[in-house]
């Protein structure tokens, strides 16, 4: 993280006009700090969810290219008497377990997972947008009161 310091001229200019920090000002500064921390967490969560979304889309694209009668290197075809061995089976992760499922079912589950992650990404983006708007409002108010004597650039 890069920190900026005031130049000597700015320091001298600010030093002459000391502004008293009121309780409400300190509350706004503290609120801005909490919002900034929450923003950082949401940005990390958004990156993680976007990566998950990309992974799901990549897997879906690979499965679209798969032939239902052909085995994929990472797939297993368990031998069951009631299952046609020509049916494509793939492993799908549910929690901490892998379950062997036919290709169409895996594609449906991937589609549902992709839709869910899309909704989650949208929700996080909306939260982030609202949070940034609130931070901007606080910045405007605090810069109006303190001018260059406060640094809220993150």
């Amino acid at each position: 993280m890069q920190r900026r310091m005031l130049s000597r001229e700015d320091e001298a200019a600010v030093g002459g006009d000391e502004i008293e920090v009121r309780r409400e000002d300190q509350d706004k500064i503290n609120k801005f700090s909490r919002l900034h921390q929450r923003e950082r967490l949401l940005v990390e969560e958004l990156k993680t969810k976007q990566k998950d979304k990309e992974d799901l889309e990549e897997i879906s694209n690979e499965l679209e290219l798969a032939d239902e009668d052909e085995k994929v290197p990472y797939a297993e075809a368990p031998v069951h008497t009631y299952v046609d061995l020509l049916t494509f089976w793939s492993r799908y992760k549910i929690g901490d377990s892998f379950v062997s499922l036919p290709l169409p079912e895996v594609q449906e589950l991937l589609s549902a997972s992709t839709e869910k992650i899309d909704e989650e990404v949208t929700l996080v983006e909306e939260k982030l947008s609202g949070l940034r708007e609130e931070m901007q409002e606080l910045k405007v108010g605090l810069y109006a009161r303190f001018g260059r004597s406060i640094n809220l650039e993150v």
Side-chain angles (χ1 to χ4, degrees):
M1 180 195 297
Q2 181 182 4
R3 300 204 185 259
R4 293 188 318 177
M5 297 178 62
L6 293 175
S7 66
R8 294 215 185 268
E9 296 82 31
D10 290 339
E11 221 176 288
V14 170
D17 296 339
E18 287 216 16
I19 300 172
E20 180 182 339
V21 178
R22 300 175 303 205
R23 173 72 181 179
E24 61 192 51
D25 298 330
Q26 188 62 51
D27 289 343
K28 288 180 182 178
I29 293 168
N30 292 345
K31 185 175 183 177
F32 181 86
S33 177
R34 285 190 306 273
L35 290 173
H36 174 54
Q37 289 298 330
R38 197 172 324 148
E39 177 192 32
R40 289 176 52 190
L41 291 174
L42 284 174
V43 166
E44 287 301 315
E45 182 180 348
L46 182 61
K47 286 179 183 177
T48 301
K49 290 193 180 300
Q50 287 174 333
K51 173 76 169 100
D52 291 345
K53 180 181 172 182
E54 288 174 17
D55 291 346
L56 284 173
E57 288 172 351
E58 186 177 323
I59 291 168
S60 293
N61 291 338
E62 287 295 321
L63 285 177
E64 285 177 8
L65 299 174
D67 183 13
E68 288 193 24
D69 295 337
E70 180 183 311
K71 293 181 188 174
V72 177
Y74 60 86
E76 292 179 0
V79 179
H80 297 289
T81 56
Y82 60 92
V83 174
D84 178 17
L85 291 178
L86 295 177
T87 304
F88 178 85
W89 285 76
S90 181
R91 291 182 294 168
Y92 188 81
K93 186 174 181 184
I94 300 176
D96 291 336
S97 304
F98 286 94
V99 181
S100 293
L101 300 169
L103 177 63
E105 196 170 334
V106 170
Q107 288 174 328
E108 287 176 24
L109 289 169
L110 281 172
S111 176
S113 295
T114 302
E115 289 174 15
K116 181 181 177 196
I117 200 88
D118 282 340
E119 292 170 4
E120 291 173 358
V121 165
T122 302
L123 183 65
V124 171
E125 286 173 340
E126 288 172 359
K127 285 181 184 178
L128 201 51
S129 174
L131 193 123
R132 286 178 174 158
E133 287 175 14
E134 192 173 354
M135 286 174 65
Q136 188 60 34
E137 290 173 13
L138 286 170
K139 269 186 187 182
V140 168
L142 289 168
Y143 277 132
R145 171 116 170 92
F146 295 103
R148 300 189 87 190
S149 62
I150 191 168
N151 183 9
L152 299 173
E153 299 306 313
V154 289

